[in-house]
Structures are given as C-alpha cells and as structure tokens.
C-alpha cells in the first residue's frame, strides 16, 4: 500500500511524447503539479502544446531538460517527487540502422539512470514505468506456446533480440532491469503499464510518433493495395494515460498491467474507419496473400522472418487485470480511430 501526497510534484519523463502529453493533461486537470522532462527546451515545436497547457494551468507545470543517456540529468526534476512516471524511451520500428545505439542503450541505460536517481531521491515512493506488450510477447507466433494463444501479465518476451524485433527487445530488457532494481530495496514500489499499439488523438502536431505515423499512413492510402493479415492489439491513448494516473494513485495497485482494448487484424482498423467515413479515405479493403507479403514486404521494412512469425498467426491478449487492479474502463475502438482521424483533419495534418 503506497499513498502519494497529492500536493507533491509528479515527475513525467519524456513529457512531450504522444502518451506522456495526455498523462500530463490529466494530472493538471486533476490539480496536480507536474515536472516534465524534455530533451531540448529549445525545440519549441515539440512542446508548443505543453506551453498552452502551462498557460491554462498556471504554476502547475514546470519543464526540465533531461536525456536518458546522461547520468544524473533527472535529479533536478525529481526533487520532492513522490511519484515518478517514466515514459521516455525511443519507439520506432523501421529505419533502424544501429539497434544497440538507437534503441537498446537509451531504453536500458535510461531506465537505469532514472531508477538510480529514484534510489537517491528519498521522497520517491512509487514509480510507474511505461513498458509495452512488446515486453510480454515478441512475435505473434509466440502465442502457439501459451494457453489459448492468450498472453497475460505472467508472460515475458523471450524471443526478441538485437536482430529480431529490436524495439521489443529494448522494452523487455528495460522492464526486466526495472524489476531487478526495485527488488533490491523496499522504499519505493514499481508498477508497469504494458500497452499494445496505442491509437487515438494526439495533443500535439508532432508527426514523429510511430502511432501517429501509422494512422496518417492508413488515411493517406499507404496501405491501399492491401495489408498483411497480422493481428494486433489496439488501445486508446487516453485509456493508456488514465491507466498511468490510476497506477500512480491507487494505493493498493501493484504489478504489471497489460493495456489493450481489443485484438484485431490490421484490416479491422481500416474497417472501423470505413464504417464511419465510407469512401472518404483510400483505406485498404483486403488482406495481401502471405506469399505477396514475402515478396513485397522487404520494400516496406517487413523482412521474411517478420512475415513468417506474424502474418496469419493467432494472437489474443487478456486485459482483465487492468480492469480489476486499476478499475479502468476501455472506450470503444471506433471512438479511438475516429477521434484520431478527426484530430489529424482538424490540425490539417492529412
Ligand atoms: P513518442 O515517440 O511520442 O515518445 C517517446 C518519448 O521518449 C519522447 O518524449 C522522446 O523525447 C523520449 N525520448 C526518446 N529518446 C530519448 C532520450 N535519449 N532522452 C530523453 N528522452 C527520450 O512515443 P510514445 O508516446 O508512443 O511512447 C512513449 C512510451 O510508450 C515509450 O516508452 C514507448 O516504448 C511506450 N509504448 C508506446 C506504444 C505506442 O503504441 N505508442 C505502445 C507501447 C508502449 P522527445 O520528446 O525529446 O523526442
């Protein structure tokens, strides 16, 4: 049981990110004081939306510069915090040239740095870490070895590596490290939020988040010729943000929490958008046969190994613990996808 003083500042790392921005907004709406870290305060475009929130909630939001790879860079921002929400970690799955440098080091070293600072900051009582279902499973084919092809918080990704699904590997090693560190002491506890693919409106005009990029590509017709028949878990960014806040303040909450509303084939996401928008967007209408994915996939960053292990493979994800332990209610995915498209239209980003 951990009780957080609602008056103490809450540190949110990676504050300008897609998910973190919603976490910050909910905390501010709730009257909390937030210390947000960003890599470079001079990158105005990245924090424009947060500056608006700062004006809307005077004296509640303070910015700090911090980089995952710089030891001690989180010290100042963490001062006086009882709750630390660590979201910062690189999230991209294509265009990777050096997985060790671009993904593994920031994820792992960053988690070490932040938690080392937690160990040195006596006010901290709880850390909520944004992990991922990528730390639970690597490829969909892994589901053949779990009961009913269904993953729960008991499972760990044991198949990803530097060369196979390196992003998933980065999330797995970072979360494992976090549990190792927390288990060496008893002043603070650790909860993890493990979302599947996060969709839904962004608070900023940034286009570099993988989730935003996926939705833009979908709406702009990048998948028009067809999509691989790959099952994916989807969840709303607002549900994910709320889960972080609930995890922070529910005294009795504990452990890992899968955040995933529903598993759908990729085409299912397009079907939901089509049901609302009809022919307004050039959405895919069918699955590509697997042999074709083998053939043309490499041009889109899908290598043979990915196709073999993910296309036409089963996948189920059990989210019941998030409902039980956090009291979370999931909003329908139709709202998630449509609100996301509406935000992109309203901001003239498609
Ligand atoms: P974003 O790309 O929007 O956010 C990533 C954040 O990490 C950014 O704020 C970025 O900072 C920060 N970051 C990256 N590298 C560094 C670094 N070296 N030092 C400091 N900060 C760094 O993506 P999301 O909001 O989607 O991702 C947030 C978290 O959620 C990540 O941990 C990701 O793995 C996890 N996640 C995301 C899912 C999704 O579908 N979106 C699913 C499951 C988990 P900056 O603003 O300066 O660029």
């Amino acid at each position: 049981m951990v009780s957080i003083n609602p008056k103490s500042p809450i540190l949110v790392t990676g504050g300008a990110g897609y998910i973190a921005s919603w976490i910050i907004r909910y905390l501010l709406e709730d009257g909390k004081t937030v210390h947000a870290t960003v890599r470079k305060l001079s990158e105005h475009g990245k924090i424009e939306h947060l500056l608006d929130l700062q004006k809307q909630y005077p004296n509640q939001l303070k910015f700090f510069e911090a980089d995952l790879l710089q030891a001690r860079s989180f010290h100042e921002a963490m001062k006086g915090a009882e709750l630390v929400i660590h979201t910062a970690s690189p999230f991209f799955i294509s265009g990777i040239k050096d997985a060790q440098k671009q993904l593994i080091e920031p994820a792992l070293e960053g988690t070490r740095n932040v938690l080392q600072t937690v160990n040195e900051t006596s006010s901290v009582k709880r850390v909520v870490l944004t992990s991922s279902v990528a730390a639970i499973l690597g490829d969909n084919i892994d589901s053949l070895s779990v009961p009913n092809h269904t993953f729960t918080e008991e499972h760990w990704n044991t198949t990803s590596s530097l060369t196979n699904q390196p992003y998933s590997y980065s999330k797995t090693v970072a979360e494992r490290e976090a549990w190792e560190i927390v288990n060496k002491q008893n002043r603070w506890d650790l909860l993890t939020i493990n979302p599947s693919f996060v969709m839904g409106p962004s608070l900023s005009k940034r286009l570099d988040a993988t989730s935003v990029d996926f939705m833009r590509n979908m709406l702009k017709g990048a998948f028009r010729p067809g999509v691989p028949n790959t099952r994916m878990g989807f969840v709303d960014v607002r549900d994910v943000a709320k889960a972080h806040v609930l995890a922070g303040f529910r005294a009795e909450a504990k452990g890992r929490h899968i955040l995933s509303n529903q598993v759908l084939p990729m085409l299912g996401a397009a079907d939901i958008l089509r049901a609302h928008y009809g022919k307004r967007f050039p959405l895919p209408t069918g699955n590509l046969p697997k042999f074709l994915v083998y053939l043309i996939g490499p041009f889109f960053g899908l290598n043979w190994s990915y196709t073999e292990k993910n296309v036409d493979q089963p996948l189920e994800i059990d989210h019941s613990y998030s409902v039980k332990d956090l009291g979370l209610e999931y909003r329908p995915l139709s709202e998630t996808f449509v609100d996301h498209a509406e935000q992109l239209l309203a901001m003239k980003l498609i």
Side-chain angles (χ1 to χ4, degrees):
M1 294 275 278
V2 171
S3 150
I4 302 293
N5 174 1
K7 298 251 180 293
S8 65
I10 296 147
L11 168 60
V12 180
T13 70
Y18 170 59
I19 296 173
S21 298
W22 275 104
I23 298 174
I24 291 173
R25 174 160 154 182
Y26 287 141
L27 290 170
L28 296 176
E29 282 175 0
D30 221 17
K32 306 287 194 300
T33 302
V34 178
H35 289 183
T37 67
V38 292
R39 261 184 288 191
K40 280 202 180 79
L41 278 170
S42 55
E43 288 182 324
H44 216 258
K46 282 190 177 179
I47 57 166
E48 235 179 330
H49 61 297
L50 295 180
L51 292 170
D52 287 344
L53 284 174
Q54 196 181 39
K55 271 190 216 130
Q56 220 179 318
Y57 298 93
N59 305 319
Q60 280 179 246
L61 177 58
K62 220 172 149 181
F63 296 108
F64 297 82
E65 275 189 353
D67 193 296
L68 290 170
L69 292 167
Q70 276 172 25
R72 303 190 64 81
S73 68
F74 292 89
H75 268 261
E76 203 48 37
M78 206 180 289
K79 273 189 186 157
E82 293 193 5
L83 174 62
V84 170
I85 302 182
H86 177 36
T87 81
S89 199
F91 176 29
F92 51 94
I93 38 189
S94 59
I96 301 163
K97 292 196 180 78
D98 183 344
Q100 180 66 27
K101 281 236 151 354
Q102 292 172 277
L103 291 168
I104 317 300
E105 280 174 22
L108 185 57
E109 286 301 317
T111 299
R112 278 190 194 131
N113 280 337
V114 170
L115 297 186
Q116 172 65 26
T117 308
V118 167
N119 274 337
E120 292 165 11
T121 308
S122 60
S123 55
V124 178
K125 293 182 178 169
R126 175 167 284 184
V127 174
V128 178
L129 170 74
T130 317
S131 185
S132 171
V133 291
I136 301 235
L137 72 121
D139 294 288
N140 289 5
I141 200 169
D142 299 349
S143 69
L144 299 180
S145 56
V146 298
N148 305 316
H149 308 144
T150 305
F151 289 95
T152 71
E153 287 82 359
E154 276 175 32
H155 298 114
W156 276 94
N157 174 355
T158 55
T159 58
S160 294
S161 66
L162 205 50
T163 49
N164 178 47
Q165 305 277 28
Y167 164 71
S168 302
Y169 184 58
S170 77
K171 297 303 286 182
T172 308
V173 292
E175 191 193 324
R176 278 201 185 278
E177 182 73 3
W179 287 112
E180 287 225 348
I181 295 173
V182 69
N183 286 334
K184 288 187 182 141
Q185 56 77 56
N186 52 22
R187 174 176 41 86
W188 52 275
D189 71 354
L190 174 73
L191 284 85
T192 68
I193 302 295
N194 300 64
S196 58
F197 198 38
V198 183
M199 293 273 101
S202 173
L203 291 175
S204 85
K205 288 188 179 159
R206 283 181 76 165
L207 298 175
D208 56 342
T210 295
S211 297
V212 175
D213 192 49
F214 177 87
M215 181 54 90
R216 272 185 92 225
N217 281 334
M218 178 75 94
L219 296 171
K220 284 167 65 185
F223 309 130
R224 180 72 186 89
V227 282
N229 182 29
T230 307
R231 291 175 67 73
M232 294 164 68
F234 291 97
V235 62
D236 194 290
V237 64
R238 294 159 291 188
D239 293 344
V240 173
K242 276 196 184 132
H244 283 79
V245 178
L246 289 164
F249 287 95
R250 285 203 141 199
E252 69 287 3
K254 57 173 185 286
R256 308 175 87 195
H257 303 81
I258 287 178
L259 259 279
S260 184
N261 186 352
Q262 223 182 315
V263 177
L264 296 172
M266 246 174 107
L267 193 60
D271 289 341
I272 289 176
L273 285 162
R274 196 176 5 263
H276 186 83
Y277 290 109
K279 292 189 173 156
R280 179 164 177 191
F281 297 108
L283 297 163
T285 52
N287 285 320
L288 294 171
K290 195 164 180 174
F291 80 89
L292 208 55
V293 184
Y294 275 118
L295 217 60
I296 63 170
F299 297 106
F300 301 94
L302 306 181
N303 61 29
W304 281 26
S305 161
Y306 173 88
T307 301
E308 181 197 343
K309 293 172 183 166
N310 292 282
V311 177
D312 294 345
Q313 298 290 354
L315 173 71
E316 299 297 338
I317 298 173
D318 180 352
H319 72 200
S320 55
Y321 184 63
S322 63
V323 175
K324 181 169 156 253
D325 196 52
L326 302 177
L328 190 77
E329 283 178 37
Y330 286 91
R331 68 176 75 215
L333 279 185
S334 51
E335 214 172 292
T336 306
F337 292 129
V338 171
D339 288 356
H340 200 166
E342 288 298 315
Q343 171 252 322
L344 290 167
L345 287 167
M347 290 188 180
K348 301 194 181 350
L349 298 173
I350 40 170

